[in-house]
C-alpha cells in the first residue's frame, strides 16, 4: 500500500490537501499514516507537487513448519488497512507449498465478514465451509457469507458452532439451509474444554480427544472429506 508524505520544504501551506482529503488524514500539513488510505487525491491536487507517494509495509508473510504440516500465514502491522493483498500473498505461498510438497488439500482459514480479505480468501476455492453460531447476528452474517459464495460460484457447506446454546436458532439455520439445498456438515456443541485447549495453545482434538467438541469435529471432518472426494 502507498502513503502520502508532505515535503515541508516544498509545501506552501495552501491547505488544499487537508480540505480535499476525505479520510481526514492531513492535519497541520502532515499526513497521519494510520488514516491515509493511499487514494492519491492530495498528490494530484497539490499545486506545487509537494506530496510524494511512498510504499509502506502493511505486514509480513511467513511460512512455518508445524507438526500438522506446513503453514502459510501473515501478521498485519497494527493499524494497517486489512487489504486483500496480504491474503493473496498467503494464498500464493500456500499454493506453492502444496505443489512442492505434493499435498492434495489446502485449507484456507478465512476471516469473518464479507470484506476484501474474505473475497481474497475465496478465489479459486472448491468449497466454502461457513461456520455460524446460532445467534441473530450469526444468522445475518451467514446469509451474507452464503450470498458471497454464491456470487463466486463456490459450493457452500455449513457448520453450526455451539449449536446447543440456542436450539430455536439452530433449527432456523437448518431450515434455511435445507430450503436452499445447502448441506449442514456438523453441529459442534458448546464445550468449556475448547477454552482450556486455547489457553494452552492446542487444538481441542489434541488437548482432549474425547471432549464432546472433539468428537463432533472429527465427525464433521469426515463429512467434509466425503464431500471433497465426491
Ligand atoms: S493519499 Fe488520500 S487519504 Fe492519503 S492523505 Fe492523500 S488524500 Fe488523504
Ligand atoms: S496542497 Fe500541497 S502546498 Fe497545499 S498544503 Fe497540501 S502539501 Fe502543502
Amino acid at each position: 500500500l502507498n502513503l502520502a508524505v508532505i515535503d515541508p520544504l516544498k509545501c506552501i501551506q495552501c491547505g488544499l490537501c487537508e480540505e480535499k482529503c476525505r479520510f481526514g488524514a492531513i492535519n497541520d500539513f502532515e499526513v497521519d499514516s494510520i488514516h491515509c488510505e493511499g487514494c492519491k487525491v492530495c498528490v494530484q491536487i497539490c499545486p506545487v507537487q509537494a506530496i510524494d507517494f511512498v510504499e509502506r509495509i502493511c505486514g509480513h508473510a511467513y511460512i512455518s513448519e508445524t507438526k500438522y504440516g506446513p503453514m502459510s500465514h501473515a501478521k498485519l502491522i497494527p493499524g494497517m488497512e486489512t487489504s486483500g493483498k496480504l491474503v493473496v500473498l498467503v494464498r500464493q505461498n500456500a499454493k506453492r507449498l502444496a505443489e512442492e510438497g505434493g499435498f492434495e488439500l489446502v485449507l484456507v482459514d478465512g476471516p469473518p465478514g464479507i470484506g476484501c480479505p474474505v473475497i481474497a480468501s475465496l478465489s479459486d476455492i472448491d468449497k466454502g465451509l461457513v461456520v455460524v453460531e446460532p445467534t441473530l447476528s450469526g444468522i445475518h452474517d451467514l446469509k451474507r457469507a452464503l450470498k458471497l459464495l454464491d456470487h463466486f460460484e463456490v459450493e457452500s457447506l455449513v457448520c453450526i458452532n455451539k449449536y446447543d446454546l440456542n436450539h430455536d436458532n439452530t433449527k432456523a439455520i437448518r431450515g434455511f439451509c435445507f430450503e436452499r439445498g445447502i448441506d449442514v456438515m456438523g453441529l459442534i456443541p458448546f464445550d468449556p474444554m475448547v477454552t482450556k485447549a486455547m489457553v494452552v495453545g492446542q487444538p481441542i482434538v489434541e488437548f482432549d480427544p474425547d471432549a464432546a467438541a472433539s468428537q463432533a469435529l472429527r465427525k464433521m471432518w469426515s463429512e467434509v472429506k466425503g464431500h471433497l472426494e465426491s
Side-chain angles (χ1 to χ4, degrees):
L1 285 181
N2 293 309
L3 167 73
V5 177
I6 296 176
D7 181 346
L9 296 177
K10 289 188 190 164
C11 174
I12 55 170
Q13 304 198 342
C14 69
L16 200 56
C17 55
E18 183 171 337
E19 185 194 322
K20 296 292 180 190
C21 175
R22 67 189 183 93
F23 299 101
I26 303 179
N27 284 302
D28 292 333
F29 318 109
E30 275 187 24
V31 178
D32 175 345
S33 61
I34 292 189
H35 289 106
C36 175
E37 293 281 323
C39 70
K40 221 175 175 179
V41 164
C42 57
V43 179
Q44 302 289 345
I45 54 141
C46 176
V48 293
Q49 289 80 46
I51 307 179
D52 270 343
F53 220 38
V54 296
E55 287 267 328
R56 66 172 153 178
I57 294 170
C58 294
H60 299 276
Y62 301 92
I63 292 171
S64 305
E65 268 307 322
T66 79
K67 60 180 171 180
Y68 313 105
M71 180 166 84
S72 166
H73 55 113
K75 192 170 183 182
L76 193 70
I77 293 171
M80 287 294 161
E81 189 200 354
T82 55
S83 96
K85 287 182 187 167
L86 202 52
V87 179
V88 170
L89 180 59
V90 169
R91 297 281 314 275
Q92 285 168 345
N93 286 344
K95 188 165 184 257
R96 186 169 50 78
L97 282 172
E99 283 168 357
E100 287 171 3
F103 297 104
E104 287 182 352
L105 188 65
V106 175
L107 287 176
V108 180
D109 183 12
I114 56 167
C116 276
V118 178
I119 292 170
S121 69
L122 290 182
S123 62
D124 283 339
I125 62 170
D126 296 312
K127 296 185 200 265
L129 177 66
V130 184
V131 180
V132 57
E133 291 187 3
T135 61
L136 290 182
S137 63
I139 294 171
H140 178 253
D141 288 351
L142 169 72
K143 289 178 181 172
R144 293 198 314 163
L146 292 176
K147 211 167 158 188
L148 194 66
L149 286 164
D150 256 4
H151 176 79
F152 287 100
E153 297 179 352
V154 175
E155 186 189 342
S156 306
L157 305 170
V158 166
C159 159
I160 309 177
N161 190 26
K162 301 178 190 166
Y163 79 93
D164 48 348
L165 291 186
N166 189 323
H167 287 285
D168 287 343
N169 282 344
T170 291
K171 198 171 158 195
I173 293 169
R174 296 186 82 171
F176 173 81
C177 290
F178 179 75
E179 278 169 22
R180 283 157 186 78
I182 298 168
D183 289 324
V184 176
M185 293 286 98
L187 302 173
I188 314 296
F190 171 74
D191 186 343
M193 293 309 281
V194 173
T195 312
K196 290 185 179 167
M198 284 165 69
V199 170
V200 296
Q202 279 188 350
I204 178 66
V205 286
E206 189 179 321
F207 178 73
D208 184 353
D210 296 325
S214 299
Q215 293 182 35
L217 280 167
R218 277 197 299 273
K219 190 163 173 256
M220 182 186 71
W221 177 236
S222 73
E223 292 283 333
V224 172
K225 266 206 320 199
H227 252 270
L228 288 169
E229 285 158 9
S230 65

